[in-house]
């Protein structure tokens, strides 16, 4: 088969753009296709955990991405507060608007030798010839590649068209997010602050220029999201006091449902990457870091060999990479559905600070669960 490029990537977000950079620097020819135009908004809590910062550092892009540093997490709820700094190197996360993060990564990909990056490129579907995927149909024109990477998000159209969608098994959860600019002189949080209440969690993440991102997660419920958002803020005095004089600078944006699954992460000629490979829930805040780590792993695994055996090796390694965060996510989802147990767990973490700090390290992606 005559190919146009070594690798064609659908989706120019965190996973797709970082993969293009890694592969281009390794000497492969890459075509990166993004259906939107940057900068673009995306509903996300916008906290990049330390393991993801480590990938940016290895790419040399920490300064280009910028952001507000945060050094740990604080949970508040049910009359209890528990706080810990990140226990491992790198010992800080970055809060940055997706407007800036995604744009910085895509622009770096476009500057990378060997990478062609296109915005407003419509991916109509995969090219399937014989027993495998051989390219993409872009704006009605075929682009043939030795490997196709679907990094087109949790609702991945490519995954669906190839029959790789899995059936969600969890609860239908809703996520919403808005940005606030704090008044001049107000203190900006130095940690991600999590406010836990009956049926909801609120995540306050520091951003540059005196802004914060506030995201809410909850079971899908009756009621207007705007009304629920304001009510949840009012339930937490520390949060409502911080935002009392703040200016909301973005519209409330959301996503429902939060979970998506893939039956398989690979097929002949194709790899699912990032959220397209399956997304459980953002309750741990590790989604962007996992996308960067998975892109780095894929590049390291296939840079010299794009064959089927290397794809299977990557799939095994990726599953091992995300396993601990998945276990922690399921545990936190269980607690979110049982307020009485969540209350007891928070109190136990307050009495066992070393255990809580270890869990913070697991969420940060810098240490194993066991």
């Amino acid at each position: 088969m005559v190919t146009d490029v070594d690798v064609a990537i659908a989706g120019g977000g965190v996973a797709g753009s970082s993969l293009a950079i890694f592969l281009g620097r390794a000497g492969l020819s890459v075509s990166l296709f993004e259906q939107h135009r940057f900068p673009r908004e995306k509903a996300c809590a916008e906290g990049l955990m330390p393991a993801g910062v480590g990938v940016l550092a290895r790419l040399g892009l920490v300064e280009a991405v910028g952001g507000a540093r945060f050094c740990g997490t604080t949970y508040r709820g049910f009359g209890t507060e528990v706080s810990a700094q990140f226990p491992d190197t790198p010992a800080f996360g970055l809060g940055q608007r997706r407007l800036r993060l995604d744009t910085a990564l895509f622009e770096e990909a476009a500057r990378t030798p060997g990478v062609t990056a296109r915005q407003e490129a419509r991916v109509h579907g995969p090219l399937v010839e014989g027993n495998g995927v051989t390219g993409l149909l872009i704006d009605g024109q075929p682009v043939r590649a030795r490997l196709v990477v679907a990094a087109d998000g949790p609702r991945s159209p490519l995954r669906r068209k190839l029959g790789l969608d899995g059936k969600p098994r969890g609860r239908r959860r809703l996520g919403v997010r808005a940005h606030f600019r704090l008044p001049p002189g107000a203190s900006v949080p130095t940690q991600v602050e999590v406010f836990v209440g009956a049926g909801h969690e609120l995540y306050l993440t520091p951003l540059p220029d005196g802004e914060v991102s506030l995201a809410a997660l909850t079971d899908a419920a009756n009621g207007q999201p705007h009304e629920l958002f304001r009510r949840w803020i009012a339930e937490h005095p520390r949060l409502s006091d911080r935002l009392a004089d703040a200016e909301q600078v973005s519209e409330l944006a959301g996503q429902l449902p939060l979970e998506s699954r893939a039956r398989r992460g690979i097929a002949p000629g194709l790899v699912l990457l990032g959220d397209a490979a399956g997304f459980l829930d953002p309750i741990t805040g590790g989604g962007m870091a996992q996308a960067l780590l998975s892109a780095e792993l894929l590049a390291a695994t296939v840079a010299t060999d794009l064959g089927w055996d290397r794809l299977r090796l990557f799939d095994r390694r990726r599953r091992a990479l995300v396993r601990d965060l998945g276990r922690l996510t399921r545990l936190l989802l269980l607690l979110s559905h049982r307020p009485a147990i969540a209350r007891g767990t928070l109190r136990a973490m307050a009495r066992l600070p070393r255990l809580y700090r270890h869990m913070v390290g697991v969420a940060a992606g810098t240490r194993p669960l066991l």
Side-chain angles (χ1 to χ4, degrees):
M1 181 185 71
V2 177
T3 59
D4 299 304
V5 291
D6 292 319
V7 181
I9 304 171
V14 170
S17 288
S18 58
L19 176 65
I21 298 167
F22 278 119
L23 293 177
R25 292 181 182 181
L28 276 69
S29 59
V30 181
S31 287
L32 174 64
F33 302 103
E34 168 56 43
Q35 66 174 330
H36 301 289
R37 174 160 289 277
F38 294 106
R40 62 165 189 186
E41 287 280 15
K42 186 172 182 180
C44 174
E46 298 177 315
L48 179 63
M49 286 297 194
V53 176
V55 179
L56 291 185
R58 292 188 286 278
L59 285 170
L61 294 177
V62 174
E63 294 303 320
V65 167
R69 293 190 178 193
F70 55 88
C71 60
T73 63
T74 298
Y75 272 76
R76 296 189 178 98
F78 309 115
T80 302
E81 177 177 320
V82 56
S83 179
Q85 294 189 348
F86 295 123
D88 305 294
T89 302
F92 67 92
L94 287 173
Q96 181 60 285
R97 294 278 296 266
R98 291 299 295 267
L99 285 171
R100 175 59 186 161
L101 173 63
D102 291 8
T103 301
L105 290 173
F106 188 86
E107 289 177 348
E108 179 62 25
R111 288 191 293 265
T112 302
V115 177
T116 301
R118 285 178 51 191
Q119 302 181 68
E120 297 181 312
R122 185 177 178 187
V123 180
H124 291 273
L127 293 176
V128 180
E129 298 171 309
N131 295 321
V133 178
T134 58
L136 294 170
L137 192 62
I138 307 294
D139 294 327
Q141 299 298 316
V143 175
R144 286 183 166 78
R146 295 167 60 200
L147 176 65
V148 171
V149 178
D152 50 349
R155 307 288 168 262
S156 174
L158 283 177
R159 185 183 68 202
R160 184 183 68 251
K161 289 178 180 180
L162 289 166
L164 296 177
D165 272 347
K167 183 177 294 185
R169 295 195 295 264
R171 312 193 309 267
R172 282 176 59 85
R173 297 251 291 168
L174 166 70
V176 295
R177 185 267 300 130
H179 301 102
F180 296 84
R181 182 175 295 117
L182 302 177
S187 62
V188 177
T190 59
Q191 296 191 347
V192 172
E193 299 181 2
V194 186
F195 299 85
V196 183
H200 68 270
E201 310 94 45
L202 300 172
Y203 297 79
L204 188 73
T205 303
L207 300 173
D209 304 319
E211 293 186 357
V212 293
S213 169
L214 183 64
L217 300 176
T218 184
D219 284 351
N222 294 327
Q224 293 297 320
H226 293 80
E227 296 175 3
L228 293 171
F229 196 61
R230 288 192 295 267
R231 191 183 76 196
W232 293 330
I233 293 172
E235 287 183 17
H236 302 278
R238 292 281 293 271
L239 178 61
S240 58
D241 288 347
R242 188 188 287 278
L243 298 181
D245 297 318
E247 175 190 6
Q248 186 172 336
V249 293
S250 72
E251 294 294 327
L252 194 66
Q255 182 176 316
L256 173 75
L258 295 177
E259 181 188 10
S260 69
R261 290 184 179 270
R263 291 196 297 111
R264 296 191 306 276
I266 58 172
L270 174 87
V271 174
L272 303 179
L273 187 67
D275 290 346
F279 183 70
L280 185 55
D281 194 279
I283 195 168
T284 61
M288 289 192 295
Q290 291 296 320
L292 285 165
L293 288 166
S294 296
E296 183 179 40
L297 176 62
L298 177 58
T301 306
V302 305
T304 59
D305 184 353
L306 297 171
W308 177 243
D309 287 343
R310 302 301 289 178
L311 298 189
R312 290 196 298 178
L313 176 62
F314 163 73
D315 195 47
R316 291 196 301 271
R317 289 175 171 175
R318 185 196 67 81
R319 291 177 186 276
L321 175 70
V322 304
R323 187 173 297 129
D324 280 351
L325 190 66
R327 289 168 174 164
L328 182 59
T329 297
R330 291 182 180 89
L331 174 62
L332 292 178
L333 286 173
L334 177 67
L335 296 177
S336 74
H337 197 51
R338 293 169 172 80
I341 301 177
R343 182 185 299 110
T345 301
L346 274 176
R347 291 173 178 171
M349 291 297 102
R351 293 192 297 269
L352 299 168
R354 289 181 62 183
L355 176 59
Y356 176 68
R357 193 163 184 253
H358 174 72
M359 292 300 182
V360 168
V362 176
T366 57
R367 60 172 52 186
L369 182 61
L370 300 175

